[in-house]
Amino acid sequence: MLPTAFPTCLILAMLLLAPARAWSDEPTDSEPQPAVRVTFSDKDEQRTITGRVIVQDQEGGMLLEGQDGRRWVIEAANVLNREVLAAEFTPLTHDQLAEQTLAELPEGFSVHTTPHYVVCFNTSRAFAQWTSSLLERLHRAFTNYWENQGFEVREPEFPLVVIIYATADQYREASREELGSAAGSVIGYYNMLSNHVTMYDLTGAEAMRGDDAGRGSLKEINRMLTQPAAVPLVATVVHEATHQIAFNCGLQERLAEMPLWLVEGMAVYFEAPDLSSSRGWRGIGKVNYPRLRTFKQNMTTTRRLSVADMVADDKRFRESRTAVDAYADAWALNYYLIRYQPDQYVSYIQAMSKKLPLLPETPEARREEFQKHFGDIDDLERDFLKRMSRLK
């Protein structure tokens, strides 16, 4: 089982428990936005956050985004004070965000910054630099790909934070509150509230473990990349980093009800590593053979989701016993649409990117939106199965 099957769906499931309300628009990202200072109760703590209101309800509840990019879903009853400031909203700089993030982490963490990333780590600097190099290549490839497809990609407004723990035990302990029992099953995840990717040093994974004395060194990284067990590990990093990029460059809106076949399928489409490269990943759009193999095995069974069911409902993505099969279905559908209906796919993504956070949708509305862009869903399913059954 690839470890990419859990993190985002668990976080989405948690977020969608928030009560649905009649949320209203605030100014768009392209307009100057006033900063606000909100004091509110958060569990047993009182917090004061300077940021901007993304959406709000009629009672005074709000989705607040801090200067660090973190989002807070605040019930009206928990708002203690709200003050509109004279200044415009401004995100933290790389240095400011690095300082804030380090202050929130245990002692012993350092920081490595790149044009798009703030990487906080307590493992070797060599591993942090290798990871940030991989992420910058992914960011460049991702944005170039969608720009070539005709999508207007924007630069991330906030520096992208990645936290790397030296050991799996440290990572599990730090992630337990966010992931619960799944903390022991995955090696990395993206959190849509914090906007962080969290992971641990892959050279310390059980499957990679050799002489711990060289763990995190360039020699150990290169050794790791020669092993088949590295495939799901590198895929996880690329998968979760793809989520982070997509939610920060305008393709997807954090906390909006984005269909998981699209959100997860796009990440799986980008995740396939290339271990023939010393850098671990270097391409987009290659056949993801582990996912294709699962999809073909399930093609004529009840383990495969029909396109209509996949589009309408996310349930099987959120359940651990069906998530791997659902992710394979999602990869296959995204691969098919990108390859055979690219214009319609980009048009659909553009429509999805305009969704507001925290607004629920019915299964019927989701199917209707899909058919608006791709045509009759039964006709598409027949062509989808025919073409994917021939893929090798």
Side-chain angles (χ1 to χ4, degrees):
M1 179 180 292
L2 293 180
T4 55
F6 299 97
T8 303
C9 59
L10 286 172
I11 294 165
L12 273 171
M14 174 187 72
L15 294 172
L16 292 177
L17 293 176
R21 303 180 184 84
W23 298 93
S24 62
D25 291 274
E26 289 290 316
T28 64
D29 291 343
S30 61
E31 300 172 351
Q33 293 173 263
V36 297
R37 184 179 293 120
V38 180
T39 300
F40 61 97
S41 299
D42 177 37
K43 299 177 182 176
D44 297 326
E45 297 184 52
Q46 179 174 305
R47 299 183 185 273
T48 299
I49 302 294
T50 298
R52 63 183 172 195
V53 177
I54 303 298
V55 290
Q56 62 184 350
D57 69 13
Q58 296 172 350
E59 288 76 38
M62 68 187 75
L63 175 61
L64 179 71
E65 184 168 64
Q67 292 176 290
D68 56 359
R70 188 185 297 267
R71 291 188 170 185
W72 304 86
V73 180
I74 308 172
E75 297 286 333
N78 293 331
V79 177
L80 304 177
N81 187 61
R82 171 177 170 171
E83 178 186 2
V84 178
L85 305 180
E88 292 180 5
F89 173 86
T90 55
L92 297 183
T93 66
H94 278 65
D95 289 344
Q96 290 170 331
L97 187 52
E99 182 180 0
Q100 176 179 301
T101 307
L102 287 176
E104 297 170 348
L105 291 167
E107 290 187 9
F109 274 79
S110 301
V111 67
H112 174 69
T113 61
T114 68
H116 294 102
Y117 290 90
V118 171
V119 180
C120 299
F121 62 95
N122 68 347
T123 186
S124 72
R125 183 165 291 272
F127 186 81
Q129 291 172 334
W130 176 83
T131 302
S132 64
S133 177
L134 170 66
L135 298 178
E136 283 290 355
R137 287 196 314 278
L138 172 64
H139 187 280
R140 184 168 56 251
F142 186 96
T143 55
N144 287 343
Y145 180 86
W146 290 114
E147 285 173 350
N148 290 336
Q149 298 299 315
F151 191 96
E152 187 175 345
V153 178
R154 67 169 185 248
E155 275 290 296
E157 189 174 12
F158 306 94
L160 304 177
V161 174
V162 176
I163 299 171
I164 307 174
Y165 288 89
T167 68
D169 287 343
Q170 291 176 3
Y171 160 84
R172 282 193 287 266
E173 182 62 29
S175 303
R176 198 173 309 281
E177 183 176 348
E178 293 181 347
L179 296 183
S181 60
S185 306
V186 297
I187 64 107
Y189 64 97
Y190 169 66
N191 185 324
M192 281 190 288
L193 284 174
S194 69
N195 205 27
H196 295 176
V197 166
T198 304
M199 58 178 288
Y200 64 88
D201 186 333
L202 301 185
T203 63
E206 291 291 340
M208 304 289 104
R209 189 161 293 166
D211 180 7
D212 277 355
R215 190 159 64 82
S217 66
L218 286 175
K219 179 180 178 182
E220 188 64 13
I221 292 167
N222 290 331
R223 187 187 74 82
M224 174 193 75
L225 293 175
T226 65
Q227 301 185 51
V231 171
L233 304 183
V234 177
T236 298
V237 175
V238 175
H239 183 109
E240 301 307 325
T242 297
H243 283 316
Q244 189 181 42
I245 297 169
F247 281 111
N248 282 272
C249 74
L251 264 78
Q252 296 167 0
E253 173 63 42
R254 280 194 284 157
L255 311 191
E257 190 168 335
M258 309 291 294
L260 289 190
W261 74 264
L262 178 67
V263 172
E264 296 300 341
M266 183 183 294
V268 177
Y269 182 80
F270 277 77
E271 78 181 21
D274 182 358
L275 299 188
S276 65
S277 166
S278 62
R279 295 178 174 182
W281 181 92
R282 67 177 179 188
I284 294 170
K286 297 182 178 184
V287 175
N288 192 317
Y289 286 105
R291 306 295 188 177
L292 176 62
R293 185 161 52 249
T294 300
F295 176 77
K296 285 193 170 183
Q297 288 171 348
N298 294 343
M299 189 176 288
T300 59
T301 73
T302 57
R303 295 177 69 89
R304 183 187 70 80
L305 277 169
S306 69
V307 173
D309 288 343
M310 199 185 329
V311 167
D313 186 80
D314 297 331
K315 181 179 179 181
R316 291 183 67 174
F317 289 90
R318 297 192 182 121
E319 295 182 355
S320 59
R321 65 183 182 84
T322 55
V324 171
D325 297 325
Y327 276 54
D329 294 337
W331 169 80
L333 183 56
N334 278 266
Y335 182 92
Y336 165 82
L337 293 174
I338 290 170
R339 185 164 183 178
Y340 298 108
Q341 297 197 37
D343 293 341
Q344 296 91 324
Y345 186 82
V346 170
S347 177
Y348 182 76
I349 290 175
Q350 289 172 333
M352 295 297 103
S353 71
K354 294 178 173 60
K355 290 184 177 294
L356 288 174
L358 304 178
L359 287 178
E361 281 194 341
T362 65
E364 292 75 21
R366 289 174 57 155
R367 286 195 189 100
E368 182 178 343
E369 183 73 24
F370 184 87
Q371 292 193 122
K372 174 182 173 182
H373 292 274
F374 299 110
D376 183 81
I377 205 164
D378 294 328
D379 291 343
L380 183 142
E381 168 121 17
R382 284 188 287 271
D383 190 60
F384 166 58
L385 293 178
K386 180 178 71 175
R387 292 185 184 275
M388 295 306 294
S389 67
R390 296 171 179 171
L391 185 62
K392 295 180 179 179

